[in-house]
Amino acid sequence: MKTKDKGFNTKLIHAGAFEDEFGSATVPIYQTSTFKFKSAQHGADCFSGKSDGYIYTRIGNPTIRAFEQNIAELENGFDGIATSSGMGAISSVYMALLSAGSHIISSDAVYGPARGVLEQDFSRFNVDASFVNTSKTENIQAALKPNTRVLYIETPANPTMEITDIAACAKIAKENNLILVVDNTFCSPYLQKPLDLGADVVLHSITKFINGHADIVGGVIVTKDPVLYKKIRHSMVYIGCNMDPTQAFMVLRGVRTLALRIERAQENALKIANFLQSHPKVEWIKYPGLTTHPQYELAKTQMKGFGSMMSFGLKGGYDAGKKLMDNVHLALLAVSLGGVETLIQHPASMTHAGISKENKLAAGITDDLIRFSVGIEDVEDIIEDLKQGLLII
Ligand SMILES: *Cc1c(COP(=O)(O)O)cnc(C)c1O
């Protein structure tokens, strides 16, 4: 079924799917490492690009292709590149777009290892990186160097929930010949479409909202144009961080309910954010859907909804936060996010532990910050869980 001109929900269910000889309603799992050529000539044609037949699963596989085409349509992109993890997607993009002597500007509050891999690994290959608060675009202007090649942003940022103006970044990127890469994990294409706002590359940890069920790890990259697509696919295939066919099958199942899950989770999140904001033991809360969020207006124009991620700090600081994390029973004390279940964690000692204390503080990742990923349980039960946890602090 052609889905390019159809609505988002129709694409969720049908984009990328293909008919097999048995009329299977779902895309089958092609659990094979290699594909038999019809002839020696066919094999040669597959390698030269004359034929688009499958060769080897690291290079391509029908189940994986179905997911790549599905997400490409959801993001309004040219094509998708599925990876074994979100970090596989990020590393493939860095590998494809950066060279010795080049410079990248990144949001300072990003997924911990997305920053760590630049600081600890790409630095060894003479790649220079600046980390700035991209929610203020003047910081990006100030960090520009003659060798800047890439602008990498995450919005809302993990875990500070700061919002970066994607269209404004796209303008800066265009004026300075940079490639704008957006990590869209916190929103998914249901809430935010960076390519429509001028980004060149969008990527995801599909481990989070896109798969949504906390049962697989995976990643994906979508580009706006074929040249970037070819370049990044080459890096992914050479690094060898391809998605597995079973992973692709799982995420094709998970993505179908993306809109329904996000709608419910963000409805819950707003109620929880309001509860926390008015709780006497809560010192601060950052959720894009609260008018107290400094970029509420930007969030409203850039995002279709406010999502289900928030961060907050308690009056008793880290000690109180630790007590809360040890005393909630419904919310799982676990990293990751964007699943059907509610999760709570402490970025400074967990997801962002690999970043120096000084850099964490500069990026706004304070010791009292608790990250909360709201699930689709009954909201009364989540609030009750927080209420009893806060009671004993
Ligand atoms: C989890 C996450 C990643 C990394 O993805 P993995 O699937 O864990 O490798 C990247 N960016 C964001 C925003 C994330 O939350």
Side-chain angles (χ1 to χ4, degrees):
M1 179 182 173
K2 285 212 168 57
T3 48
K4 282 235 156 60
D5 58 342
K6 298 279 191 287
F8 190 86
N9 292 287
T10 305
K11 287 180 181 176
L12 282 176
I13 314 296
H14 298 289
F18 55 84
E19 270 181 39
D20 72 349
E21 60 182 305
F22 304 109
S24 171
T26 59
V27 175
I29 308 176
Y30 287 88
Q31 195 70 44
T32 181
S33 59
T34 196
F35 297 84
K36 196 172 96 181
F37 301 126
K38 293 184 183 78
S39 64
Q41 189 56 49
H42 177 230
D45 289 347
C46 286
F47 271 91
S48 73
K50 256 191 220 154
S51 161
D52 59 3
Y54 289 102
I55 298 171
Y56 184 63
T57 283
R58 176 160 49 75
I59 303 170
N61 172 292
T63 318
I64 302 170
R65 276 308 284 153
F67 170 60
E68 288 172 335
Q69 287 171 344
N70 178 282
I71 189 82
E73 283 202 28
L74 298 179
E75 288 283 10
N76 292 335
F78 167 70
D79 207 340
I81 303 158
T83 54
S84 55
S85 70
M87 277 311 296
I90 292 167
S91 299
S92 299
V93 166
Y94 288 165
M95 184 82 130
L97 304 183
L98 297 166
S99 305
S102 56
H103 174 241
I104 172 173
I105 300 172
S106 164
S107 302
D108 55 3
V110 283
Y111 182 70
R115 177 171 180 162
V117 76
L118 288 172
E119 287 180 328
Q120 295 158 36
D121 299 278
F122 278 86
S123 59
R124 290 185 284 112
F125 303 96
N126 197 24
V127 170
D128 183 20
S130 300
F131 300 93
V132 300
N133 182 339
T134 53
S135 72
K136 296 189 175 66
T137 46
E138 58 270 28
N139 293 336
I140 301 170
Q141 296 280 9
L144 284 168
K145 295 183 185 181
N147 57 339
T148 309
R149 297 284 172 268
V150 177
L151 175 56
Y152 181 94
I153 62 171
E154 195 180 299
T155 179
N158 182 5
T160 58
M161 300 309 297
E162 276 183 350
I163 315 276
T164 292
D165 187 333
I166 299 172
C169 286
K171 190 162 170 279
I172 296 173
K174 202 161 188 195
E175 286 164 1
N176 295 280
N177 217 7
L178 316 179
I179 291 166
L180 175 61
V181 181
V182 181
D183 182 335
N184 201 24
T185 300
F186 266 39
C187 279
S188 91
Y190 181 64
L191 295 181
Q192 179 169 278
K193 292 195 183 63
L195 300 182
D196 286 358
L197 297 169
D200 302 292
V201 178
V202 58
L203 59 86
H204 289 274
S205 165
I206 59 109
T207 315
K208 318 296 167 55
F209 288 100
I210 292 182
N211 181 60
H213 292 75
D215 48 14
I216 53 160
V217 167
V220 77
I221 305 149
V222 180
T223 71
K224 192 144 73 181
D225 78 65
V227 177
L228 273 176
Y229 171 77
K230 230 177 138 181
K231 228 172 153 171
I232 299 171
R233 179 168 281 282
H234 169 90
S235 287
M236 186 284 284
V237 169
Y238 272 40
I239 294 174
C241 57
N242 59 285
M243 185 173 268
D244 181 82
T246 300
Q247 257 177 313
F249 175 84
M250 296 288 280
V251 65
L252 276 167
R253 183 169 72 166
V255 78
R256 292 176 172 214
T257 53
L258 179 72
L260 297 174
R261 286 185 281 109
I262 290 193
E263 281 297 343
R264 168 59 68 87
Q266 71 180 3
E267 192 183 306
N268 285 354
L270 185 61
K271 289 181 184 157
I272 291 163
N274 277 314
F275 161 77
L276 287 170
Q277 191 172 36
S278 59
H279 196 285
K281 288 183 182 168
V282 174
E283 176 76 21
W284 60 269
I285 169 158
K286 239 168 155 190
Y287 175 64
L290 293 176
T291 51
T292 50
H293 189 291
Q295 294 143 309
Y296 170 75
E297 289 301 327
L298 173 60
K300 218 164 66 173
T301 55
Q302 182 166 285
M303 297 157 69
K304 189 178 161 225
F306 300 111
S308 51
M309 295 300 300
M310 63 185 71
S311 57
F312 61 92
L314 300 179
K315 293 221 165 98
Y318 173 58
D319 290 341
K322 202 170 174 191
K323 261 194 204 155
L324 176 67
M325 287 185 280
D326 282 335
N327 284 291
V328 286
H329 307 299
L330 190 119
L332 302 182
L333 176 55
V335 299
S336 198
L337 57 104
V340 290
E341 60 288 295
T342 298
L343 303 178
I344 190 167
Q345 70 112 353
H346 180 241
S349 68
M350 297 173 188
T351 45
H352 293 67
I355 297 167
S356 74
K357 195 165 174 111
E358 190 189 359
N359 285 341
K360 267 191 289 233
L361 286 181
I365 307 165
T366 49
D367 218 32
D368 66 339
L369 188 152
I370 292 169
R371 196 182 74 184
F372 204 60
S373 172
V374 177
I376 62 169
E377 299 96 339
D378 288 303
V379 69
E380 298 78 15
D381 291 334
I382 307 170
I383 291 177
E384 198 49 50
D385 190 35
L386 285 168
K387 223 184 234 171
Q388 64 80 31
L390 288 164
L391 201 64
I392 47 183
I393 288 163

